[in-house]
Amino acid sequence: METVLKNTRPTAKQMFLDPRTKILLCLTVSSVMISSDSFGIMNIVLPCLAAIPLLFLILLKKPQIAAYYAVMYLFTATVPRLLMPHVSPLFNLLFTGMIAMFTKLIPGMSMFCLLVLTTTVSEFVAAMDRLHIPKKFSIPVSVMFRFFPTIREEYKAIRDAMRLREVGSWRNPMEMLEYRMVPLLTGLVTIGNELSTSALTRGLDSPVRRTNVCPIGFHWQDGVALLLCIAVITCFVLSTFYGW
Protein backbone atom coordinates (compact mmCIF):
# COMPACT_ATOMS: atom_id res chain seq x y z
CA MET A 1 0.00 0.00 0.00
CA GLU A 2 2.78 2.42 0.90
CA THR A 3 4.60 1.71 -2.37
CA VAL A 4 1.47 2.37 -4.39
CA LEU A 5 0.87 5.69 -2.65
CA LYS A 6 4.45 6.86 -3.12
CA ASN A 7 4.34 6.04 -6.82
CA THR A 8 1.07 7.92 -7.36
CA ARG A 9 1.69 10.97 -9.52
CA PRO A 10 -0.16 14.27 -9.06
CA THR A 11 -3.10 14.73 -11.40
CA ALA A 12 -4.00 17.76 -13.48
CA LYS A 13 -6.63 18.65 -10.90
CA GLN A 14 -3.83 19.33 -8.43
CA MET A 15 -2.06 21.60 -10.96
CA PHE A 16 0.89 19.16 -10.70
CA LEU A 17 2.01 20.99 -7.54
CA ASP A 18 2.26 20.26 -3.84
CA PRO A 19 -0.29 22.18 -1.69
CA ARG A 20 2.55 24.04 0.03
CA THR A 21 3.84 25.21 -3.33
CA LYS A 22 0.38 26.41 -4.34
CA ILE A 23 0.09 28.37 -1.09
CA LEU A 24 3.50 29.96 -1.71
CA LEU A 25 2.54 30.88 -5.27
CA CYS A 26 -0.75 32.37 -4.09
CA LEU A 27 0.97 34.50 -1.44
CA THR A 28 3.71 35.61 -3.84
CA VAL A 29 1.36 36.60 -6.66
CA SER A 30 -1.13 38.43 -4.46
CA SER A 31 1.43 40.28 -2.31
CA VAL A 32 3.73 41.36 -5.15
CA MET A 33 0.86 42.41 -7.43
CA ILE A 34 -0.66 44.60 -4.72
CA SER A 35 2.58 46.03 -3.29
CA SER A 36 4.53 46.88 -6.44
CA ASP A 37 4.20 49.62 -9.05
CA SER A 38 4.60 49.30 -12.80
CA PHE A 39 8.02 50.79 -13.38
CA GLY A 40 11.47 49.48 -14.16
CA ILE A 41 11.90 45.74 -14.04
CA MET A 42 8.39 45.28 -12.63
CA ASN A 43 6.95 46.17 -16.04
CA ILE A 44 8.09 42.69 -17.07
CA VAL A 45 7.51 40.85 -13.78
CA LEU A 46 3.89 41.91 -13.22
CA PRO A 47 2.54 40.63 -16.58
CA CYS A 48 4.42 37.37 -15.98
CA LEU A 49 2.74 37.02 -12.58
CA ALA A 50 -0.65 37.76 -14.13
CA ALA A 51 -0.03 34.98 -16.66
CA ILE A 52 0.42 32.32 -13.94
CA PRO A 53 -3.34 31.88 -13.22
CA LEU A 54 -3.96 31.81 -16.98
CA LEU A 55 -1.41 29.01 -17.38
CA PHE A 56 -3.00 26.96 -14.61
CA LEU A 57 -6.48 27.45 -16.07
CA ILE A 58 -5.19 26.11 -19.38
CA LEU A 59 -3.58 23.13 -17.62
CA LEU A 60 -6.88 22.41 -15.88
CA LYS A 61 -8.62 22.47 -19.29
CA LYS A 62 -10.80 25.48 -18.49
CA PRO A 63 -10.55 27.41 -21.78
CA GLN A 64 -13.71 29.45 -21.24
CA ILE A 65 -12.67 30.67 -17.78
CA ALA A 66 -9.14 31.29 -19.09
CA ALA A 67 -10.56 33.44 -21.90
CA TYR A 68 -12.68 35.41 -19.42
CA TYR A 69 -9.65 35.96 -17.20
CA ALA A 70 -7.45 37.10 -20.10
CA VAL A 71 -10.08 39.51 -21.45
CA MET A 72 -10.80 40.94 -17.99
CA TYR A 73 -7.14 41.48 -17.17
CA LEU A 74 -6.34 43.03 -20.55
CA PHE A 75 -9.35 45.32 -20.21
CA THR A 76 -8.39 46.52 -16.73
CA ALA A 77 -4.74 46.92 -17.77
CA THR A 78 -5.24 48.88 -21.01
CA VAL A 79 -8.40 50.96 -20.53
CA PRO A 80 -7.01 53.26 -17.77
CA ARG A 81 -3.91 54.03 -19.83
CA LEU A 82 -6.01 54.91 -22.87
CA LEU A 83 -8.59 57.03 -21.02
CA MET A 84 -6.35 58.75 -18.48
CA PRO A 85 -5.08 61.56 -20.79
CA HIS A 86 -8.56 62.33 -22.16
CA VAL A 87 -10.85 62.49 -19.10
CA SER A 88 -11.32 64.91 -16.22
CA PRO A 89 -9.39 64.40 -12.96
CA LEU A 90 -12.55 63.48 -11.03
CA PHE A 91 -13.61 60.86 -13.59
CA ASN A 92 -10.02 59.66 -13.76
CA LEU A 93 -9.96 59.14 -9.99
CA LEU A 94 -13.31 57.38 -9.77
CA PHE A 95 -13.30 55.24 -12.91
CA THR A 96 -9.81 54.56 -14.19
CA GLY A 97 -8.38 54.30 -10.68
CA MET A 98 -10.96 51.68 -9.76
CA ILE A 99 -10.27 49.68 -12.91
CA ALA A 100 -6.52 49.89 -12.35
CA MET A 101 -7.00 48.53 -8.83
CA PHE A 102 -8.68 45.43 -10.28
CA THR A 103 -5.50 44.79 -12.27
CA LYS A 104 -3.72 44.18 -8.98
CA LEU A 105 -6.54 42.18 -7.38
CA ILE A 106 -7.64 39.83 -10.18
CA PRO A 107 -4.46 37.65 -10.34
CA GLY A 108 -4.34 37.17 -6.56
CA MET A 109 -8.05 36.38 -6.34
CA SER A 110 -7.71 33.91 -9.22
CA MET A 111 -4.80 32.16 -7.52
CA PHE A 112 -6.81 31.87 -4.31
CA CYS A 113 -9.78 30.39 -6.18
CA LEU A 114 -7.49 27.89 -7.91
CA LEU A 115 -5.95 26.98 -4.55
CA VAL A 116 -9.36 26.28 -3.02
CA LEU A 117 -10.73 24.41 -6.03
CA THR A 118 -7.70 22.17 -6.61
CA THR A 119 -6.78 21.36 -3.00
CA THR A 120 -8.81 18.95 -0.92
CA VAL A 121 -9.17 19.28 2.83
CA SER A 122 -7.04 16.17 3.39
CA GLU A 123 -4.24 17.54 1.21
CA PHE A 124 -4.31 20.89 2.99
CA VAL A 125 -4.27 19.32 6.47
CA ALA A 126 -1.41 17.02 5.44
CA ALA A 127 0.55 20.01 4.12
CA MET A 128 -0.04 21.97 7.33
CA ASP A 129 1.09 19.00 9.41
CA ARG A 130 4.29 18.76 7.36
CA LEU A 131 4.93 22.46 8.05
CA HIS A 132 4.15 22.00 11.78
CA ILE A 133 1.45 24.68 11.64
CA PRO A 134 -0.61 24.91 14.87
CA LYS A 135 -4.07 23.35 14.87
CA LYS A 136 -5.58 26.71 15.82
CA PHE A 137 -4.78 27.88 12.30
CA SER A 138 -5.11 24.73 10.20
CA ILE A 139 -8.56 23.66 11.47
CA PRO A 140 -10.40 26.95 10.69
CA VAL A 141 -8.75 27.19 7.28
CA SER A 142 -9.57 23.56 6.48
CA VAL A 143 -13.21 24.29 7.34
CA MET A 144 -13.05 27.30 5.00
CA PHE A 145 -11.87 25.05 2.16
CA ARG A 146 -15.22 23.25 2.32
CA PHE A 147 -17.24 26.34 3.22
CA PHE A 148 -17.06 28.17 -0.12
CA PRO A 149 -17.92 25.13 -2.33
CA THR A 150 -20.80 24.30 0.03
CA ILE A 151 -22.12 27.86 -0.27
CA ARG A 152 -22.12 27.52 -4.05
CA GLU A 153 -24.02 24.23 -3.88
CA GLU A 154 -26.52 25.71 -1.42
CA TYR A 155 -27.12 28.74 -3.65
CA LYS A 156 -27.68 26.52 -6.69
CA ALA A 157 -30.24 24.47 -4.75
CA ILE A 158 -32.09 27.62 -3.61
CA ARG A 159 -31.99 29.05 -7.14
CA ASP A 160 -33.44 25.87 -8.66
CA ALA A 161 -36.17 25.74 -6.02
CA MET A 162 -37.15 29.35 -6.69
CA ARG A 163 -37.18 28.76 -10.44
CA LEU A 164 -39.60 25.88 -10.00
CA ARG A 165 -41.88 28.25 -8.09
CA GLU A 166 -41.25 31.05 -10.63
CA VAL A 167 -40.25 33.55 -7.96
CA GLY A 168 -37.12 35.56 -7.27
CA SER A 169 -36.07 36.47 -10.83
CA TRP A 170 -33.67 39.26 -11.78
CA ARG A 171 -36.63 41.29 -13.07
CA ASN A 172 -37.64 41.92 -9.46
CA PRO A 173 -34.45 42.57 -7.43
CA MET A 174 -36.22 42.98 -4.09
CA GLU A 175 -38.08 39.71 -4.53
CA MET A 176 -34.85 37.95 -5.49
CA LEU A 177 -33.16 39.39 -2.40
CA GLU A 178 -35.96 38.08 -0.22
CA TYR A 179 -36.37 34.62 -1.72
CA ARG A 180 -32.73 33.83 -2.51
CA MET A 181 -30.39 35.83 -0.29
CA VAL A 182 -32.35 35.52 2.96
CA PRO A 183 -32.51 31.67 2.84
CA LEU A 184 -28.84 31.58 1.85
CA LEU A 185 -27.74 33.81 4.74
CA THR A 186 -29.87 31.78 7.13
CA GLY A 187 -28.31 28.55 5.90
CA LEU A 188 -24.74 29.86 6.22
CA VAL A 189 -24.88 29.58 10.00
CA THR A 190 -26.04 25.98 9.82
CA ILE A 191 -23.43 25.15 7.17
CA GLY A 192 -20.63 26.59 9.30
CA ASN A 193 -21.71 24.63 12.36
CA GLU A 194 -22.05 21.39 10.39
CA LEU A 195 -18.62 21.76 8.79
CA SER A 196 -17.01 22.52 12.14
CA THR A 197 -18.66 19.48 13.69
CA SER A 198 -17.56 17.34 10.75
CA ALA A 199 -13.95 18.50 11.14
CA LEU A 200 -13.95 17.72 14.86
CA THR A 201 -15.59 14.33 14.25
CA ARG A 202 -12.75 13.40 11.91
CA GLY A 203 -10.26 14.10 14.68
CA LEU A 204 -8.61 17.19 13.22
CA ASP A 205 -8.16 18.63 16.72
CA SER A 206 -6.54 15.49 18.10
CA PRO A 207 -3.08 16.09 19.63
CA VAL A 208 -1.90 12.74 18.22
CA ARG A 209 -0.08 12.91 14.89
CA ARG A 210 -2.56 11.99 12.15
CA THR A 211 -1.87 9.59 9.31
CA ASN A 212 -2.76 10.65 5.80
CA VAL A 213 -3.04 8.77 2.51
CA CYS A 214 -2.80 11.87 0.29
CA PRO A 215 0.20 11.55 -2.08
CA ILE A 216 1.69 14.99 -1.39
CA GLY A 217 5.36 15.72 -1.85
CA PHE A 218 7.78 17.94 -3.72
CA HIS A 219 8.66 17.22 -7.35
CA TRP A 220 10.74 18.96 -9.99
CA GLN A 221 7.86 21.28 -10.89
CA ASP A 222 7.70 22.42 -7.26
CA GLY A 223 11.38 23.33 -7.50
CA VAL A 224 10.69 25.39 -10.62
CA ALA A 225 7.84 27.19 -8.84
CA LEU A 226 10.07 27.86 -5.83
CA LEU A 227 12.81 29.34 -8.03
CA LEU A 228 10.17 31.48 -9.74
CA CYS A 229 8.97 32.84 -6.38
CA ILE A 230 12.55 33.60 -5.31
CA ALA A 231 13.22 35.41 -8.60
CA VAL A 232 10.01 37.46 -8.30
CA ILE A 233 10.73 38.45 -4.69
CA THR A 234 14.31 39.39 -5.65
CA CYS A 235 13.06 41.59 -8.49
CA PHE A 236 10.52 43.18 -6.14
CA VAL A 237 13.22 44.00 -3.56
CA LEU A 238 15.56 45.41 -6.22
CA SER A 239 12.78 47.52 -7.69
CA THR A 240 11.53 48.82 -4.33
CA PHE A 241 14.81 49.61 -2.59
CA TYR A 242 17.24 50.18 -5.47
CA GLY A 243 14.97 51.61 -8.16
CA TRP A 244 15.61 48.97 -10.81
Side-chain angles (χ1 to χ4, degrees), residues 145-213:
F145 267 71
R146 283 298 305 152
F147 187 68
F148 291 111
T150 306
I151 291 176
R152 183 176 60 179
E153 295 173 2
E154 183 74 11
Y155 178 76
K156 288 181 179 180
I158 295 173
R159 181 191 61 189
D160 294 340
M162 293 301 104
R163 282 181 177 177
L164 290 175
R165 294 169 174 82
E166 297 182 354
V167 294
S169 64
W170 287 99
R171 298 177 181 177
N172 193 336
M174 296 304 297
E175 190 179 64
M176 187 197 70
L177 182 65
E178 178 182 358
Y179 289 105
R180 290 193 184 184
M181 293 296 106
V182 173
L184 179 63
L185 294 176
T186 305
L188 292 183
V189 179
T190 305
I191 292 172
N193 293 333
E194 290 177 352
L195 291 177
S196 300
T197 305
S198 175
L200 296 178
T201 304
R202 295 178 181 179
L204 293 183
D205 63 335
S206 175
V208 182
R209 182 178 177 84
R210 299 175 67 252
T211 58
N212 203 302
V213 297

Side-chain angles (χ1 to χ4, degrees), residues 13-33:
K13 187 178 180 181
Q14 297 171 301
M15 301 194 305
F16 299 98
L17 295 175
D18 185 85
R20 291 163 287 184
T21 306
K22 289 187 280 187
I23 294 173
L24 178 62
L25 276 175
C26 182
L27 293 176
T28 302
V29 171
S30 58
S31 59
V32 173
M33 290 294 296

Side-chain angles (χ1 to χ4, degrees), residues 214-228:
C214 294
I216 68 170
F218 291 110
H219 302 81
W220 65 268
Q221 57 267 27
D222 296 286
V224 173
L226 178 61
L227 292 177
L228 175 63

Side-chain angles (χ1 to χ4, degrees), residues 4 22 28 31 76 78 114 117 122 142-143 176 199 206 220 238:
V4 173
K22 289 187 280 187
T28 302
S31 59
T76 56
T78 57
L114 289 171
L117 293 176
S122 298
S142 63
V143 172
M176 187 197 70
S206 175
W220 65 268
L238 293 176

